[in-house]
Amino acid sequence: MKIDILTLFPNMFDGVFTESIIKRAIDTEKVEINLINFRDYTDDPHNKVDDTPYGGGAGMVLMCQPIFDCVKSIRTDDSKVILLTPSGVPYKQKMAFELSHEKHLIIICGHYEGFDERIRSICDLEISIGDYVLTGGEVPAMVLVDSITRLIPGVINEQSYLEDSFSYKDNYLLDYPTYTKPRVYEGMEVPEVLLSGDHKRIEEYRKEESIKRTKEVRPDLLGDD
């Protein structure tokens, strides 16, 4: 998979893509990630990429020309262009799975007060990572890349993500509790069933605990009031 990220602040990504699983995915050529400063595409003699909004108002608005020209220069028939915006569809694990099968993602990071409405016309999908406002789209872009990259075949063990919270198999239940050594720590013991070696009982226990945790913390995932 190829991922191109359009941003005014490429240095914000330093460290995020050079550590852990994402770095390994890049090193093994499972994913190619490019950071593109769309200021390089502006035709303004002063390198401007934003201007004041028509009708007045606070802040500056990203202009069409740099982003349009940047997208045109890298878009192919295999590309899916994503705009990160608070007004986008809520980002869910199902969407991460779907996007992990794409060949080429172009992710546009907004900044300042917003972007010219006409930029939406060149986008295939608008995504929001939550009901809050950030200073720009760089952090959401990191979230997308992390959640998508780990789902690309060969990046991590398939069983690892199939048992994640919000995975397909359990209707997006939260993950079950896990334990490791020691068996007892400060009086807290590992549940006996996990030591039984009975895989059927263990699977049943984990399913029950996932349902219990989801009911307590995220009943909305079960359709409960």
Side-chain angles (χ1 to χ4, degrees):
M1 172 186 281
K2 180 179 180 182
I3 302 176
D4 290 325
I5 302 174
L6 279 57
T7 173
L8 293 174
F9 302 96
N11 291 340
M12 287 183 66
F13 296 85
D14 288 350
V16 177
F17 296 159
T18 57
E19 300 287 345
S20 190
I21 291 172
I22 295 179
K23 180 182 187 300
R24 188 162 68 242
I26 294 172
D27 290 344
T28 56
E29 300 183 349
K30 298 291 191 305
V31 64
E32 174 189 341
I33 302 175
N34 302 305
L35 300 171
I36 303 172
N37 190 334
F38 57 84
R39 191 182 297 277
D40 295 338
Y41 288 80
T42 184
D43 59 13
D44 184 89
H46 304 292
N47 288 328
K48 285 181 60 177
V49 294
D50 60 346
D51 211 329
T52 54
Y54 280 119
M60 304 290 281
V61 176
L62 290 175
M63 302 160 64
C64 290
Q65 180 272 314
I67 294 177
F68 268 66
D69 286 358
C70 183
V71 170
K72 288 176 183 177
S73 72
I74 60 176
R75 190 172 198 166
T76 70
D77 291 340
D78 294 325
S79 303
K80 180 178 284 291
V81 182
I82 299 171
L83 182 63
L84 298 169
T85 167
S87 61
V89 297
Y91 190 57
K92 304 289 186 181
Q93 184 71 2
K94 180 181 179 182
M95 191 180 298
F97 272 104
E98 292 170 349
L99 292 176
S100 71
H101 296 292
E102 295 289 340
K103 294 181 179 179
H104 182 207
L105 299 179
I106 299 174
I107 301 175
I108 302 174
C109 300
H111 220 83
Y112 307 123
E113 182 61 24
F115 49 83
D116 190 300
E117 183 71 13
R118 291 165 288 191
I119 291 173
R120 295 183 191 273
S121 69
I122 60 171
C123 299
D124 301 303
L125 180 63
E126 298 179 27
I127 293 177
S128 167
I129 66 165
D131 295 338
Y132 45 86
V133 179
L134 299 170
T135 55
E138 284 72 24
V139 171
M142 297 173 197
V143 170
L144 260 67
V145 172
D146 187 289
S147 61
I148 293 168
T149 298
R150 64 191 299 278
L151 298 175
I152 296 173
V155 173
I156 64 173
N157 184 282
E158 183 182 44
Q159 193 63 28
S160 296
Y161 64 73
L162 288 179
E163 294 184 353
D164 283 339
S165 296
F166 314 112
S167 65
Y168 281 124
K169 67 170 189 170
D170 284 329
N171 193 29
Y172 305 105
L173 294 176
L174 299 181
D175 206 358
Y176 51 78
T178 57
Y179 301 84
T180 188
K181 298 177 179 67
R183 181 172 176 176
V184 181
Y185 186 74
E186 295 192 352
M188 295 178 285
E189 298 185 18
V190 175
E192 186 65 32
V193 64
L194 297 178
L195 310 172
S196 68
D198 187 329
H199 297 294
K200 186 173 187 298
R201 284 182 60 210
I202 291 172
E203 184 176 353
E204 291 172 351
Y205 161 81
R206 287 174 168 171
K207 178 68 174 292
E208 291 170 359
E209 289 297 312
S210 288
I211 294 172
K212 178 182 176 182
R213 175 170 289 178
T214 306
K215 283 183 176 179
E216 292 176 350
V217 182
R218 291 289 306 276
D220 57 296
L221 294 174
L222 299 171
D224 296 342
D225 293 330

